[in-house]
Amino acid sequence: MRLTNVAHLRLPFGRLLGYDVTVGPLGRPLPVSFDQRRHVGAGDRAGSWMALSFKLSQPVPPDELAAAWLAVIARHGTLRSVFVPGDDGEPRLHEVEILPGDWALHPIAPGQAVNDALRDVLDRACSPYSRPSHRLCVLETAVGPTVVVAADHAHVDMWSMLVIARDLLAALAVVRDGRTASLPPAPAFAEHTRALQDRPSAPADVRRRWAEVLAASGEVMPRFPLPLGPATLQQERVEVRDVLDVDDSAAFSAQARDDGVSTLALVVAAMTEVTRALAGTPLRAVFPVHSRYDSTWHDSVGWFITNSVLESADPDPRASAEAVKEAVRMGSWPLEDVLRPWGGMPEAPGMFAISWLDLRRLPVRVDAAGLEAQYVGATIRTDGVMLWFILDESGLHLRCRYPDTPEARRHVGTWLDTLISHVQSRASVGGRLRLGDRTFRVQRAGRADVPALVALLSDDEIGCTREGAEMARYEEAYDAVARDPSHYLAVVRDEDDRIVGTMQLTVIPGLSRGGTTRLQIEGVRVAAAERSHGVGTAMLEWAHEHGRHRGATLAQVTTDRSRERAHAFYARLGYGNSHVGLKRAL
């Protein structure tokens, strides 16, 4: 999913509409979380929101979209709550009734970019004390609407935006079918706040580590380790980078698995190495962690994010994995109590934060590619560095926000360039198969590899009878495979760059088995001289990881009935002979 901010958002030109709901009087008070109090306590301001945009495939009457939106609001308690300033200056949260309203046309001035018009709307409608502080907008075009859902950060996180999009689409389908939209209730975020407040205090060792990390950071939250220029709010600079494509992402994850760590830990290892090389210090950063500790909250909307601190001094992947594990534990206790000795979160100019979200592992999913969905951040002034990583079926992406000063451009830019180079170099390592003291490389086949692949396909008792067409036919087939990104025609090369293996991997989405995505494995061949040495097993393990990183949860393979050795090989890898495969000529 594309991760951007409103200044870089890709929007079509059209009529910009916003839905004005009707808000009732203040109802019963609700508990305010530590992070909500900190965020809302900073006061009304532009740019405190986050949004998700997506395209619908056909026009939708505004009244149907409004009905679906009201069903989403009815499901999620935080969307039916508003903040008000208390007499003591502390924010108060109250339940309110949300009733139907009207659509408003937001004019786009001559020469004004659609992005700027949308930003103006969201800055006004989605500030902390707005009533409500969320907004449904739609850009009407001839080919279909682009929907933008936004809310002040006090009410949502990135996971919540996916929940909202999924629920809105589900409710819209019901409405379009002529029925009244009604979604099952979900636990409200206020219940989570109460549950968190009832948790016991953090143990002594957690408090001690917080104190040690903050002391090493000058008794404030960790700051970016290189100069950023004046320690005042500056116009932000935002960089959006695609770090790894789907193939390199699979290779990087394979390398992480070989190292015995998670993909996140391997990225932290790279950040640790870069920070030590450029700044001569350990990596220290604010590290947001989610607080959806159990499945109770998976379908809820709210700010289920709290902050921890990450300190990683050793770039060894296993050491970085331990640092991540420690950070998650440090963020698993109520922060208000932990940070009381500092009078709350001790923020300071230059604060450095690193956020990580693996969309492939979330229990909430939307068709981000089909919807052309984009996470959208607001435009703000900043004095710190915020780094977001998103890992999805298309690869690893990042967005970085930092002050737009000459010093920050030079130092943050160099840090990012070096980090991306390190991550990409580890991805190339992850495309390798290690067998004892030998190393093989897995990569996409090129057109020049076609003759060698045909030779491999022909080099057995069955293949020699069915291969042998003109090379031009194979080259045409290669072109068709290479044009379709769902296919991965792999070659395996040895230390001398000789092709010793091949396989074709195809990711197949489907409706059966609850919408299971399958990995189809075809044309697995290993050169005769390399057979029975573990190359085939290593290739299949690599293929499985490739499938997982593209959303597949089931691998399937067909092999000729007469290939008894192949049957035994696949059985050893866990494949069950549970189905009958049928073929016929066309």
Side-chain angles (χ1 to χ4, degrees), residues 279-324:
T281 67
L283 173 69
R284 294 189 186 94
V286 179
F287 189 65
V289 295
H290 77 78
S291 56
R292 300 178 193 250
Y293 301 118
D294 57 59
S295 59
T296 302
W297 314 106
H298 286 180
D299 290 323
S300 296
V301 169
W303 192 359
F304 291 89
I305 298 293
T306 189
N307 285 309
S308 183
V309 284
L310 170 70
E311 182 178 64
S312 178
D314 185 346
D316 177 83
R318 291 184 182 273
S320 295
E322 287 301 314
V324 171

Side-chain angles (χ1 to χ4, degrees), residues 82-351:
V82 298
F83 285 96
V84 295
D87 294 337
D88 56 358
E90 291 287 318
R92 302 286 191 269
L93 182 63
H94 287 266
E95 192 174 59
V96 293
E97 185 179 13
I98 301 291
L99 299 171
D102 296 298
W103 286 96
L105 176 65
H106 299 294
I108 301 175
Q112 184 182 29
V114 177
N115 297 42
D116 290 337
L118 177 65
R119 179 179 59 194
D120 290 346
V121 171
L122 300 186
D123 279 348
R124 290 193 306 271
C126 301
S127 61
Y129 286 117
S130 296
R131 299 192 189 185
S133 56
H134 52 70
R135 184 73 165 179
L136 171 70
C137 291
V138 61
L139 272 165
E140 291 186 332
T141 72
V143 296
T146 292
V147 176
V148 180
V149 179
D152 185 80
H153 196 357
H155 296 287
V156 295
D157 53 23
M158 284 188 171
W159 182 328
S160 296
M161 299 308 296
L162 288 179
V163 173
I164 288 174
R166 182 203 61 189
D167 289 355
L168 181 61
L169 292 170
L172 184 59
V174 172
V175 172
R176 305 222 72 186
D177 196 37
R179 294 176 289 141
T180 300
S182 178
L183 298 171
F189 178 67
E191 297 174 30
H192 178 271
T193 300
R194 290 191 186 96
L196 199 62
Q197 290 173 345
D198 291 339
R199 291 199 69 199
S201 299
D205 63 316
V206 169
R207 295 172 181 274
R208 183 177 65 254
R209 279 301 290 144
W210 269 96
E212 290 170 352
V213 175
L214 294 183
S217 303
E219 299 299 340
V220 295
M221 299 297 278
R223 291 177 286 191
F224 190 73
L226 296 167
L228 300 174
T232 55
L233 293 175
Q234 305 287 330
Q235 186 65 40
E236 70 172 1
R237 185 171 187 83
V238 176
E239 296 195 33
V240 179
R241 303 200 191 186
D242 294 319
V243 182
L244 299 174
D245 63 18
V246 65
D247 300 332
D248 284 341
S249 179
F252 187 82
S253 295
Q255 178 61 40
R257 187 183 64 251
D258 288 346
D259 291 335
V261 301
S262 66
T263 306
L264 167 59
L266 196 55
V267 171
V268 169
M271 288 191 286
T272 303
E273 187 172 351
V274 170
T275 302
R276 286 172 61 93
L278 297 181
T281 67
L283 173 69
R284 294 189 186 94
V286 179
F287 189 65
V289 295
H290 77 78
S291 56
R292 300 178 193 250
Y293 301 118
D294 57 59
S295 59
T296 302
W297 314 106
H298 286 180
D299 290 323
S300 296
V301 169
W303 192 359
F304 291 89
I305 298 293
T306 189
N307 285 309
S308 183
V309 284
L310 170 70
E311 182 178 64
S312 178
D314 185 346
D316 177 83
R318 291 184 182 273
S320 295
E322 287 301 314
V324 171
K325 182 178 178 181
E326 178 186 65
V328 171
R329 180 168 183 260
M330 292 169 66
S332 299
W333 301 91
L335 281 192
E336 186 168 13
D337 179 56
V338 170
L339 296 177
R340 188 167 288 117
W342 292 270
M345 185 176 292
E347 300 182 58
M351 195 166 76

Side-chain angles (χ1 to χ4, degrees), residues 364-381:
V364 179
R365 302 178 74 95
V366 299
D367 178 14
L371 294 169
E372 298 181 40
Q374 303 177 79
Y375 276 123
V376 187
T379 298
I380 65 169
R381 295 174 66 82

Side-chain angles (χ1 to χ4, degrees), residues 456 459 500-502 524-532 535-537 539:
L456 275 176
D459 187 23
V500 298
T502 184
V524 180
R525 296 290 191 278
V526 177
E530 299 293 348
R531 291 171 193 162
S532 301
V535 175
T537 298
M539 287 170 57

